[in-house]
Amino acid sequence: MCVPQASPPRTYLSLPILPATPVDMYGFETILALTTRIASLLPFGGTQTVGIVPYYNPTLGGGSMLNDAQDGYGEPLNVIISGLSSPEVLTDDGVLNYARAIGFSEECFGIHLGTPFSANLGDGNEWVNQTIELREDYGSPSVGTCLETLIGGNHFRYVRRFVLWCDQRNPVTDNHDIVPDGYDIGRDDLVAGAIGTQSYGGVSYNTRAQNITGLLAPGSEGVNHGT
C-alpha cells in the first residue's frame, strides 16, 4: 500500500481504524483508493454497501466514473475514501476535518465561482451535485486557499459516499486551467500528502492507500480538457 509510480490514471481509497490514543487526542485510520484507466480482473459487485466493503463500482448501477462537468465532458472520480474507514471520517464534518489534516480547506472566504459539478454513483439517486469543493491551503486553513486561487495548486470536489475528483491547476493568470496530466498529478499529490499519520483539531488520522484498476476506461474519451 503505497503511492504508485507514474502510470495511467488511477483512483485511491482511504480507510480509518480507531487505535489507542493519548487523552484528549482522537485517532482514526483512513484508507484511500486510487483508480486507474487500465483493465482489471478484480471482481466488483453492484450491490455492495458502504461500511461492509471499501466501495462499489458505480457503472454496475447505471452510474459513471466520470462526473458531469457541465460542458458535455466529465472528470474522473479518482479518489475514494473507503467505506471501511472509521465511521467518524465518513460524515461531512469528518471529511472536512480530514481534509484540513492533509492540507485542504474551504474556498477563499467561502466564495465559490462557477456551476457545481455532479456525479452519478449508481446508487439510485441519479446525478447529485458535489457536496463541497476544497482547495490546497498551503499550511493556513483560514486564508491559504486564497493563495491557491492566485498561484494555482491542488483541489478536490467530493460527493457523499465519499468519492472525490481532484486535479492540479495553473495560477489565475492562466485562467486557473488544469495543468497537463493534472488529474493524475492532483490525485497522486493528495495521496502522497495523506498517507501516514496526519492530524488537525485534536484528531489524528492514519491513512494508507490502495491502488485500484478497472473502474475507469483507458484513454481520454469523454474526459474534460482531453487529459
Side-chain angles (χ1 to χ4, degrees):
M1 296 197 180
C2 59
V3 179
Q5 303 299 314
S7 61
R10 320 172 263 285
T11 298
Y12 274 106
L13 184 67
S14 170
L15 188 135
I17 300 173
L18 282 132
T21 54
V23 176
D24 297 327
M25 173 66 80
Y26 297 91
F28 306 125
E29 187 182 63
T30 307
I31 298 174
L32 296 174
L34 161 79
T35 60
T36 64
R37 284 182 284 191
I38 57 177
S40 171
L41 298 178
L42 294 176
F44 298 111
T47 59
Q48 297 170 344
T49 305
V50 169
I52 299 174
V53 297
Y55 61 90
Y56 67 95
N57 183 349
T59 64
L60 298 182
S64 174
M65 283 298 295
L66 297 177
N67 69 15
D68 181 359
Q70 309 297 321
D71 60 0
Y73 295 91
E75 299 180 342
L77 309 183
N78 55 7
V79 176
I80 302 168
I81 299 179
S82 169
L84 302 179
S85 298
S86 295
E88 291 82 356
V89 178
L90 301 176
T91 66
D92 291 345
D93 288 343
V95 168
L96 178 56
N97 200 74
Y98 177 63
R100 287 170 173 162
I102 64 174
F104 293 80
S105 195
E106 297 99 322
E107 295 187 271
C108 181
F109 300 119
I111 299 171
H112 176 74
L113 300 177
T115 305
F117 292 175
S118 60
N120 184 345
L121 302 183
D123 56 3
N125 292 317
E126 300 299 329
W127 292 91
V128 176
N129 281 347
Q130 66 193 50
T131 304
I132 195 171
E133 183 168 351
L134 298 165
R135 297 184 181 277
E136 187 174 359
D137 63 22
Y138 291 98
S140 175
S142 58
V143 297
T145 57
C146 298
L147 186 60
E148 190 274 348
T149 300
L150 291 173
I151 68 171
N154 206 357
H155 73 245
F156 71 85
R157 308 166 192 248
Y158 101 91
V159 66
R160 287 186 181 92
R161 283 190 181 269
F162 312 104
V163 177
L164 287 58
W165 51 96
C166 53
D167 56 67
Q168 186 85 7
R169 295 279 169 162
N170 282 311
V172 68
T173 51
D174 290 324
N175 300 313
H176 214 57
D177 287 337
I178 191 170
V179 303
D181 204 25
Y183 298 122
D184 289 358
I185 293 171
R187 177 206 59 217
D188 291 350
D189 285 354
L190 181 148
V191 173
I195 56 175
T197 301
Q198 313 294 338
S199 62
Y200 183 85
V203 181
S204 179
Y205 301 91
N206 181 21
T207 300
R208 51 197 174 95
Q210 179 182 1
N211 214 1
I212 303 298
T213 62
L215 294 181
L216 286 166
S220 59
E221 182 177 357
V223 176
N224 207 21
H225 307 293
T227 185

